[in-house]
Short mmCIF file of all heavy atoms in Angstrom, two decimals:
data_model
loop_
_atom_site.label_atom_id
_atom_site.label_comp_id
_atom_site.label_asym_id
_atom_site.label_seq_id
_atom_site.Cartn_x
_atom_site.Cartn_y
_atom_site.Cartn_z
N ASN J 211 16.83 -7.16 11.15
CA ASN J 211 16.90 -6.88 9.71
C ASN J 211 17.34 -5.45 9.43
O ASN J 211 18.13 -5.19 8.51
CB ASN J 211 15.55 -7.16 9.06
CG ASN J 211 15.22 -8.63 9.01
OD1 ASN J 211 16.10 -9.48 9.16
ND2 ASN J 211 13.96 -8.96 8.80
N PHE J 212 16.82 -4.49 10.21
CA PHE J 212 17.19 -3.10 9.96
C PHE J 212 18.61 -2.79 10.39
O PHE J 212 19.26 -1.90 9.83
CB PHE J 212 16.18 -2.16 10.62
CG PHE J 212 15.00 -1.87 9.75
CD1 PHE J 212 14.02 -2.83 9.55
CD2 PHE J 212 14.88 -0.66 9.08
CE1 PHE J 212 12.94 -2.59 8.72
CE2 PHE J 212 13.81 -0.41 8.25
CZ PHE J 212 12.83 -1.37 8.06
N THR J 213 19.12 -3.51 11.36
CA THR J 213 20.53 -3.36 11.72
C THR J 213 21.40 -3.69 10.52
O THR J 213 22.40 -3.00 10.24
CB THR J 213 20.89 -4.27 12.90
OG1 THR J 213 20.13 -3.86 14.05
CG2 THR J 213 22.38 -4.20 13.23
N GLU J 214 21.01 -4.72 9.78
CA GLU J 214 21.77 -5.09 8.58
C GLU J 214 21.57 -4.07 7.45
O GLU J 214 22.52 -3.73 6.73
CB GLU J 214 21.37 -6.49 8.11
CG GLU J 214 22.10 -6.98 6.85
CD GLU J 214 23.60 -7.12 7.04
OE1 GLU J 214 24.08 -7.07 8.20
OE2 GLU J 214 24.31 -7.29 6.03
N LEU J 215 20.34 -3.57 7.29
CA LEU J 215 20.10 -2.52 6.29
C LEU J 215 20.96 -1.30 6.56
O LEU J 215 21.58 -0.73 5.65
CB LEU J 215 18.62 -2.13 6.28
CG LEU J 215 17.66 -3.07 5.57
CD1 LEU J 215 16.22 -2.79 6.00
CD2 LEU J 215 17.78 -2.93 4.06
N PHE J 216 21.04 -0.88 7.82
CA PHE J 216 21.85 0.27 8.18
C PHE J 216 23.34 -0.03 7.94
O PHE J 216 24.08 0.82 7.44
CB PHE J 216 21.63 0.65 9.65
CG PHE J 216 20.23 1.06 9.99
CD1 PHE J 216 19.72 0.86 11.26
CD2 PHE J 216 19.40 1.63 9.02
CE1 PHE J 216 18.42 1.25 11.58
CE2 PHE J 216 18.10 2.01 9.32
CZ PHE J 216 17.61 1.83 10.60
N ARG J 217 23.75 -1.24 8.30
CA ARG J 217 25.16 -1.61 8.13
C ARG J 217 25.56 -1.59 6.66
O ARG J 217 26.70 -1.26 6.32
CB ARG J 217 25.40 -3.01 8.72
CG ARG J 217 26.88 -3.38 8.86
CD ARG J 217 27.04 -4.78 9.42
NE ARG J 217 26.72 -5.79 8.42
CZ ARG J 217 27.56 -6.21 7.48
NH1 ARG J 217 28.79 -5.71 7.42
NH2 ARG J 217 27.19 -7.14 6.63
N GLN J 218 24.59 -1.90 5.80
CA GLN J 218 24.85 -1.91 4.36
C GLN J 218 24.77 -0.51 3.74
O GLN J 218 24.98 -0.35 2.54
CB GLN J 218 23.86 -2.84 3.66
CG GLN J 218 24.05 -4.32 3.98
CD GLN J 218 25.35 -4.87 3.43
OE1 GLN J 218 25.95 -4.33 2.49
NE2 GLN J 218 25.81 -5.98 4.01
N GLY J 219 24.47 0.50 4.54
CA GLY J 219 24.45 1.87 4.03
C GLY J 219 23.19 2.23 3.27
O GLY J 219 23.20 3.16 2.45
N ILE J 220 22.08 1.54 3.54
CA ILE J 220 20.82 1.85 2.86
C ILE J 220 20.16 3.02 3.60
O ILE J 220 19.86 2.93 4.78
CB ILE J 220 19.88 0.62 2.86
CG1 ILE J 220 20.60 -0.61 2.30
CG2 ILE J 220 18.62 0.94 2.07
CD1 ILE J 220 21.12 -0.44 0.90
N GLN J 221 19.93 4.14 2.88
CA GLN J 221 19.33 5.33 3.47
C GLN J 221 17.83 5.32 3.23
O GLN J 221 17.37 5.60 2.13
CB GLN J 221 19.96 6.59 2.85
CG GLN J 221 21.47 6.64 2.98
CD GLN J 221 22.06 7.84 2.27
OE1 GLN J 221 21.75 8.99 2.59
NE2 GLN J 221 22.91 7.58 1.29
N LEU J 222 17.08 5.01 4.26
CA LEU J 222 15.62 4.90 4.14
C LEU J 222 14.94 6.12 4.75
O LEU J 222 15.32 6.58 5.82
CB LEU J 222 15.12 3.64 4.84
CG LEU J 222 15.50 2.29 4.22
CD1 LEU J 222 15.05 1.17 5.14
CD2 LEU J 222 14.87 2.15 2.85
N GLU J 223 13.92 6.62 4.04
CA GLU J 223 13.08 7.69 4.58
C GLU J 223 11.72 7.16 5.00
O GLU J 223 10.99 7.82 5.72
CB GLU J 223 12.90 8.80 3.55
CG GLU J 223 14.12 9.69 3.35
CD GLU J 223 15.17 9.03 2.48
OE1 GLU J 223 14.80 8.43 1.46
OE2 GLU J 223 16.36 9.11 2.82
N GLY J 224 11.34 5.98 4.52
CA GLY J 224 10.03 5.43 4.85
C GLY J 224 10.02 3.91 4.83
O GLY J 224 10.82 3.28 4.14
N THR J 225 9.11 3.32 5.60
CA THR J 225 8.91 1.86 5.59
C THR J 225 7.45 1.56 5.85
O THR J 225 6.83 2.13 6.75
CB THR J 225 9.78 1.17 6.66
OG1 THR J 225 11.16 1.30 6.31
CG2 THR J 225 9.44 -0.32 6.74
#
Side-chain angles (χ1 to χ4, degrees):
N211 290 343
F212 273 74
T213 297
E214 180 63 13
L215 282 163
F216 298 151
R217 192 182 74 83
Q218 292 293 338
I220 308 302
Q221 304 176 60
L222 292 174
E223 285 78 43
T225 293

